[in-house]
Structure formats: structure tokens, C-alpha cells
Amino acid sequence: MADVPLIVISEFAQSERRITPAWTITQLKSKLETVTGVPPGCQRLSLKRSGAEAIPIEATDEDATYLTFFPLVPYAELHVIDTRPPASRPNYNDTSGVEKYVLPEEEYEKKTDSVLAWKKAEKLGRFDPNAPSYEQAKLAAFEREITSRDIAVGKRCRVGGEDTKRGTIKYVGEVKEIPGGLGAWVGVHLDEPVGKNDGSIAGTRYWGEPAGLKHGVFVRPERIEVGDFPVLDDLEDMEEI
């Protein structure tokens, strides 16, 4: 009898395998161990055909029970369940404990068939003598945002598209007190005390006077929307009582 292609499915594997109907259940389980990693004695098998209920592949004497007793049809699913407790099953997807070889950087730089060598030859990225540095490109991007959004001290705006964060621009420039904050920041005095500070950071004051309420916030230019954003009047839409 010709081999039958089946889709073998287990917790960590799925692949097409050709199954010989002349095998016994014991022989099948032995061969499935190399595919699924599940020991034969811990396998529970079932065969599922399209549109039909799953059929257990089991018998009292699996050494003498052949697969011809089961309805093997091409591309049916052969499910392999691991009956071991979860704590006893090896996790083949976890590679954290696998020792990995890392090519030393100096050896990688010597290779002539690497992506790095190709970039060097083509003068791409950081190897392009005419390309701006990453920091320069970042600074230029912030300046473009400031210009395109018409950001300037004294203009009304809202932050992050939120009407609850309307305010007046009080500062545009670098804020050295913000870690990793290279480039321009926009300081906004919000109408409501929903900010992060009172216009000062780490002892450096950028506008205003010390206050208990936090109306101040510093954001990147791309979060600023300049426009006609008057102070909201909570009583404006209330009906007379």
C-alpha cells in the first residue's frame, strides 16, 4: 500500500510527513519522536479528517495493531499530544539557555562578503562622507517641525491633539536637564493644571514664577498644534437653571 501524506501537528512542530499504512502504532510513535520530540510512551495520537470528528489512534496491543485499521486519507491531520506534565516537557522554543557563537566585531570587519563590507564599498549609511550624522539629522528634523508647524513663543496651541491641553507657548529650544533630550523642545503653559512642572526643570527656570500648580509641560515639536485655541470656558454651554 502506498504511503499517505499527513500533516503532523504537535505543540512545537507542524510538518507534512509520509506515513506507511503497514506500520504498527508502535512503529508510528517511534518515528514521530524524531519529528515532535515527544517520547513514544508519552504520545496520545488522533487523526482528524476535514469535516469529521477526531479519531483516536490507539489499541490494547499497539505492537500488533496496524495503521490500515484507521482511515488514513491524504493530508488529514495527525495530532500528537504530549501527556507529560507541563513542567516535565522541554521547551524547544526557548533558546535562552543555548550557547550561541558571536563573531568578534574585529573579525566581522575583516570579512569581505558581509553586509558591512558592501556598505563600505557602496559608501552607504555612515560610510557616506556626504551624509549628516545621526545627531545632525535628528536636530534638522526638529527644526523642520518647528518651521512647518509655525511654532513660536507667545502663540496659542494644543498638545497631542487634546483640547484639555490647550495653552500658550512659552519656550522653544534645548532643555539640557532632560536626559537624552538632544534637540529642540517646546515649553507650554497649559490653561489647566494638568502639566508636569511649573515651567522649571531640575532647578532651571524657563518661564514664570514658582507655583504649586503644575501648568507646565515640555514636548517635542511634532506634538504641538498651533492655531486658534482660546481658553475653554466650562460654563459657556451650560443652560440657565
Side-chain angles (χ1 to χ4, degrees):
M1 184 177 293
D3 292 349
V4 180
L6 299 180
I7 306 300
V8 177
I9 301 175
S10 66
E11 184 177 4
F12 297 112
Q14 177 173 325
S15 61
E16 178 184 328
R17 299 287 168 168
R18 302 191 71 82
I19 305 300
T20 301
W23 291 344
T24 64
I25 296 178
T26 299
Q27 287 176 309
L28 173 63
K29 287 185 174 182
S30 176
K31 295 180 184 296
L32 288 175
E33 181 179 15
T34 61
V35 178
T36 64
V38 182
C42 302
Q43 296 178 17
R44 184 168 71 243
L45 307 182
S46 64
L47 184 70
K48 189 175 189 314
R49 298 172 295 167
S50 178
E53 294 291 330
I55 300 173
I57 296 183
E58 57 187 9
T60 304
D61 186 359
E62 295 188 344
D63 290 334
T65 303
Y66 294 90
L67 300 182
T68 51
F69 289 99
F70 301 92
L72 301 182
V73 295
Y75 303 106
E77 295 178 354
L78 178 58
H79 291 264
V80 183
I81 304 300
D82 191 342
T83 60
R84 292 175 292 181
S88 302
R89 304 173 193 170
N91 185 352
Y92 296 108
N93 289 338
D94 182 10
T95 61
S96 59
V98 179
E99 185 177 355
K100 304 173 183 64
Y101 173 73
V102 179
L103 183 69
E105 188 174 344
E106 56 272 16
E107 292 297 321
Y108 180 66
E109 291 180 350
K110 293 177 183 178
K111 294 178 67 65
T112 59
D113 58 349
S114 65
V115 173
L116 180 65
W118 175 72
K119 286 186 174 181
K120 286 180 179 179
E122 298 295 327
K123 293 183 172 56
L124 298 175
R126 60 189 173 96
F127 302 108
D128 183 354
N130 299 317
S133 67
Y134 172 75
E135 289 188 355
Q136 291 174 331
K138 191 174 181 180
L139 292 173
F142 288 142
E143 292 301 324
R144 286 195 298 270
E145 288 286 349
I146 291 172
T147 301
S148 64
R149 293 174 181 271
D150 196 25
I151 296 173
V153 173
K155 292 194 173 184
R156 293 286 298 175
C157 70
R158 65 179 179 182
V159 179
E162 298 182 39
D163 272 329
T164 56
K165 290 187 177 180
R166 294 188 178 193
T168 303
I169 297 173
K170 293 291 188 178
Y171 176 80
V172 180
E174 290 192 0
V175 181
K176 296 180 180 179
E177 292 74 21
I178 299 178
L182 177 71
W185 292 83
V186 181
V188 179
H189 183 88
L190 300 171
D191 299 333
E192 300 294 330
V194 291
K196 301 292 185 181
N197 53 69
D198 65 349
S200 67
I201 293 184
T204 300
R205 178 156 299 280
Y206 288 87
W207 76 84
E209 299 293 335
L213 298 178
K214 296 181 179 181
H215 284 266
V217 66
F218 290 90
V219 297
R220 288 300 194 184
E222 64 267 19
R223 297 195 62 204
I224 295 293
E225 181 183 354
V226 172
D228 182 16
F229 298 112
V231 178
L232 292 176
D233 184 355
D234 293 337
L235 301 178
E236 182 177 351
D237 297 327
M238 291 185 63
E239 297 180 354
E240 293 184 1
I241 298 177

